Amino acid sequence: MKLNLIFLLIPVFVWGQRLDLNKLDSLQRSGQDIKVGLVLSGGGAKGLAHIGVLKVIEEVGLRIDYIGGTSMGAIVGGLYASGYTTQQLDSIFNTTDFSNLIQDNLPRGAKSFNERRDSDRYALKLPFDNFQIRFPSGISKGQNIYNLYAQLLSHIKEEDFSKLPIPFFCMATNVETGEVVQLEKGDLATSLTASGAIPTLFSPVYINGMMLTDGGVVNNFPVEEVRAKGMDIVIGVDVQDDLRDREELVSGFDILTQVNNFRTIAAAGEKKLKTDIYIKPDIEDFSVLSFDEGEIIIKNGLKAGKDKLKVLKKMASYQNQIRSAFAVQVQDSINIGNINILGNTNFPRNFVTGKLKLKTFEKTSFNRLNAGLNNLSATGNFEKINYDLTENGDFQDLTLRLYESNQNTQLKFGVHYDQLYKTSFLTNFTQKSLFLRNDLASLDLIIGDNLRYNFNYYIDKGRYWSIGIMSRYNQFEDDINFESLQQTIGSQDTLNLNQLRLKNEDFTNQVYVETFLTQDFKFGLGAEYKHLEATTETFIEDPEVDEAETIIQENDLFSTYGYLRIDTMNDRFYPTSGYFFSGHMNIYFPVFDDYTEFAIAKGEVGYAHPITKKLSGYIGSELGFTTGNENIPGLNFFLGGFGNQTINNFRHFLGYDFFTLSADSYIKGILQLDYNFYKKNHLILTANYANVEDDLLSTGNWLSTPDFSGYGIGLGSQTILGPVDLKYSYSPETSESIWYISIGYWF
């Protein structure tokens, strides 16, 4: 049966090739100039094969008179139509991190301190307006994608796409009506974003009041539309999916893509017959997200184009005119004139310009402009931010088009495991504009082995003094060395115990004000009430004692405090560049308990820098000390362990278990090498050193050879749940090895 089918199809293929050549000969004899149209289908990352085909077309000197594209075909075709050469397109797509673009990953420096805290804490965020859980309209808002297109197309001032160096149009789908929309005028960057807005992956794009998504939903191969532009010959490059077997449908996204493609695959056979030259690159082994294999995909497109080399050369030889070469001079800066803002109903101009941080009538790099757009996007107050550039003498006026978000309520979730807090599940309720337009209320409820909560209320006044209120309850239990506990609390009782289980509880309430000198630099003052309690199971056999727990320590403390923080690190958990400084000082007054005044000061500094493309180094130091005659054991500095969110004066130290080292002062140094060996996976080598003892500064031992050291080697991975770390550590002082494991964001 298969053999008969092959013999039946051979004449069709042979006739198709003859038809191409016969039609060309007929057009050539007529003496008319041959107009060639190019159709580029959608296909996600597989659409990079279009670049390879275009290289062959460019090589033979074939003039393209119209380009019609959908989704990735629109993106490649639109950039080519705007004047980019295939060499430039190759460079653009090979140097672009599509993973960050698709996920709308914003640089950490674009976020405020509160926004960084959120992004380093929650694995999942869902809209919860009107107390109804909804899923976002897309995993990504597409802001990074738009920023890239807008920069690449900043040289285009023409709103009529038929007047581009190569006339062009692209296809989109009206989400509300299901109708196909042919985009031929307007802002080219916005149009390309709409045509490539893959459903569920990207949020819809609004153009002229229409809610638009990927054109591939209804017309992934616009052959008829290109033919209608008066083209004599239509070349079709098809990178659409074929239907896949069940073995290949391994994820929900695979199934959704297959279902979404039913209509376009059904229409593909008919559309293929309407092309004069049909080119089908080998893209079977790739998916719509295979951007990391872009180089291979482009080569496969090049091979498919060369398979049609003979007919393409003949077409080029029959054309009367050759299009003059045109290459875009990629701009890295613009001269910004006036800044106009449209669509800002709830957020005043000074809020927008304060986040944008651009000066008028001054030369500005696109990196700086994109950083300003990222600052606005990071607030979460806007669904989309588009912009236009219009000539104003030697300057260009910048007009921002803001699409404000109507989402004020969110549910956020996280999961974490470490060896101190054990298993933890986090649910957060966040409400914007609870009492004021610029306030935010957030409540974390953490359940699992240790029940906790965090409440924050914040009034954001931008560059002025912002106001915050914080309330926290934190607890954990752990087996600790009894001798270490005796030293910490100053007990003189001699008991035959090795370890006991300590339960630590912390109830803290703060009110504070803070101001930001820059996005990365904040300073604050506040007042704090703290209740500390440490208990164990009763271990003294006394018939007069029937309590199940023995209170080791219980204190009610009041303090005023100040802090200064500078943070330019590009990542909290695996930094490869930037620096960090944190200084914090509490002055304690005897308001609730009877103790003399004392103060605790602590600071941390760190610096990360790339050594090679994949290897980076980090160096850091910490210092903490207590002044005054009072000693509150629960506020001592405790060193040891890794992988948990630290509170109060608990600090990580590799090579030792949690709370093993304790005193009222300490100094610590850390050296680290991070080898990013594959995608988001890291091999990390760490060495840390410390001196930990009472009155460390007054004894001068903080400058002496470290008494304690630890070394570690570990694997770290950036996952959807947050960082996952497995570390092996060793301390030469104890000759003991300790394993640490941490899963998910720290909270």
Side-chain angles (χ1 to χ4, degrees), residues 397-525:
D397 290 343
L398 173 68
T399 300
L400 291 182
R401 301 180 185 276
L402 306 178
Y403 297 85
E404 291 184 354
S405 173
N406 295 320
Q407 178 188 310
N408 283 326
T409 311
Q410 278 189 318
L411 283 182
K412 305 174 185 178
F413 303 92
V415 61
H416 181 77
Y417 174 83
D418 63 62
Q419 287 141 299
L420 180 61
Y421 287 101
K422 304 299 188 287
T423 304
S424 301
F425 300 95
L426 165 63
T427 300
N428 169 273
F429 176 83
T430 296
Q431 176 67 55
K432 290 183 178 180
S433 305
L434 181 62
F435 302 115
L436 304 171
R437 181 190 299 174
N438 57 332
D439 72 2
L440 183 143
S442 172
L443 175 64
D444 287 340
L445 179 62
I446 303 167
I447 60 174
D449 290 281
N450 293 280
L451 182 67
R452 294 172 280 156
Y453 84 81
N454 286 280
F455 171 76
N456 287 276
Y457 177 75
Y458 193 76
I459 302 173
D460 188 351
K461 294 196 172 186
R463 296 180 180 179
Y464 302 101
W465 287 93
S466 298
I467 302 170
I469 298 172
M470 187 278 287
S471 179
R472 175 187 75 203
Y473 174 73
N474 189 292
Q475 66 168 356
F476 54 79
E477 294 183 50
D478 196 45
D479 294 324
I480 68 169
N481 181 280
F482 181 67
E483 183 179 351
S484 298
L485 177 65
Q486 282 186 306
Q487 294 174 358
T488 300
I489 65 176
S491 172
Q492 302 301 317
D493 296 331
T494 301
L495 298 172
N496 187 24
L497 292 174
N498 181 28
Q499 285 189 327
L500 55 80
R501 190 155 190 84
L502 177 70
K503 179 178 181 181
N504 187 86
E505 295 181 71
D506 171 279
F507 177 54
T508 299
N509 297 276
Q510 296 176 339
V511 57
Y512 60 93
V513 294
E514 64 182 15
T515 187
F516 299 83
L517 301 182
T518 68
Q519 185 92 338
D520 303 313
F521 189 160
K522 73 174 180 177
F523 167 74
L525 300 167

Side-chain angles (χ1 to χ4, degrees), residues 546-562:
D546 58 1
E547 298 292 333
E549 292 183 331
T550 297
I551 297 176
I552 301 296
Q553 175 202 347
E554 186 174 16
N555 295 104
D556 290 287
L557 305 163
F558 172 80
S559 69
T560 58
Y561 65 91

